[in-house]
Amino acid sequence: MQVPALFAAKTGDRLVALDAWFQGTRPTASGRSESFSEAAGRIPRSDERSPAVVVDMDSLARGTFTAGVVKDMKVRGCDIWFMTCVETVDDLFDSFNPTADMVMGLYHCVESDAELEDIHSVSDSFVPTVFVVGGRTVLGKGKMGDPGRTLSDLSEMGFYRVCLLDTDGSLTEENWRAVLDDHPSAVPFTRRPPSSEAISGMWVSPL
């Protein structure tokens, strides 16, 4: 099942959705934008509520949480998974509002693994989001790691669900199969998903 993702930013007092993707760990817009409500209205609806991801471009661009996007985002008929920067437990509390059902916090932005364990202890609605650049996972303090090992470490901390975001298409179908065989609850986030043979469950992609 594809989960649509909207890249959102505040422009003055307006919330807009942009055509965007990542360069490294930073989101970059292609230039075209529309009102967030219009973009959200194009999300396919079904009889049952399904998730939609809202990517907080303002916070991701700054590398720290800002409250502009979360205050105004609304997607009717969908559960919102809100992707933003969460460095501490306090940031997690700030990022939740009545419309955010899940927070997808960037793993490399969390202050420390000890802080991540504290986040896990206070909320089961936090999903670590691990960026992949050049086939390697982005860890804290400029370090890089192996995708399978990183997901195993997070699983050992108690995180049942983790999002793996392939920023540059460097994960091959073979890589995805290996990761998802070992971690079937992981949620891929890709610009162009590989075949259904590699990803057969839930995956996230731009609307």
Side-chain angles (χ1 to χ4, degrees), residues 83-181:
M83 180 181 290
T84 190
C85 291
V86 173
E87 298 174 82
T88 64
V89 171
D90 288 341
D91 286 343
L92 177 64
F93 292 146
D94 290 341
S95 63
F96 273 113
N97 78 353
T99 61
D101 299 280
M102 195 87 70
V103 170
M104 303 170 70
L106 277 56
Y107 177 47
H108 61 273
C109 286
V110 179
E111 197 173 79
S112 65
D113 282 351
E115 192 70 26
L116 189 62
E117 291 174 350
D118 287 344
I119 289 171
H120 180 266
S121 70
V122 300
S123 176
D124 60 1
S125 297
F126 177 86
V127 177
T129 300
V130 180
F131 277 45
V132 175
V133 177
R136 304 284 288 171
T137 48
V138 180
L139 311 179
K141 300 178 181 178
K143 297 180 180 179
M144 307 293 283
D146 172 76
R149 180 68 261 171
T150 302
L151 266 60
S152 293
D153 290 343
L154 289 166
S155 178
E156 290 173 6
M157 289 184 199
F159 289 100
Y160 167 75
R161 176 177 288 161
V162 175
C163 176
L164 192 63
L165 197 162
D166 185 5
T167 65
D168 54 5
S170 55
L171 292 180
T172 65
E173 291 193 15
E174 183 178 353
N175 295 147
W176 279 117
R177 279 194 292 268
V179 167
L180 295 172
D181 281 348

Side-chain angles (χ1 to χ4, degrees), residues 1-6 36-37 39-54 73-82 97-102 207:
M1 178 185 75
Q2 179 186 4
V3 176
L6 293 169
F36 183 84
S37 60
R42 292 190 286 104
I43 294 176
R45 302 300 197 274
S46 62
D47 293 337
E48 297 182 0
R49 289 180 68 88
S50 57
V53 171
V54 176
M73 62 180 189
K74 293 179 182 178
V75 183
R76 294 177 184 272
C78 294
D79 293 330
I80 294 181
W81 294 5
F82 181 50
N97 78 353
T99 61
D101 299 280
M102 195 87 70
L207 180 66

Side-chain angles (χ1 to χ4, degrees), residues 181-203:
D181 281 348
D182 291 338
H183 307 278
S185 61
V187 179
F189 191 158
T190 70
R191 192 173 195 175
R192 296 181 181 87
S195 70
S196 59
E197 294 180 2
I199 299 177
S200 59
M202 180 184 295
W203 52 275

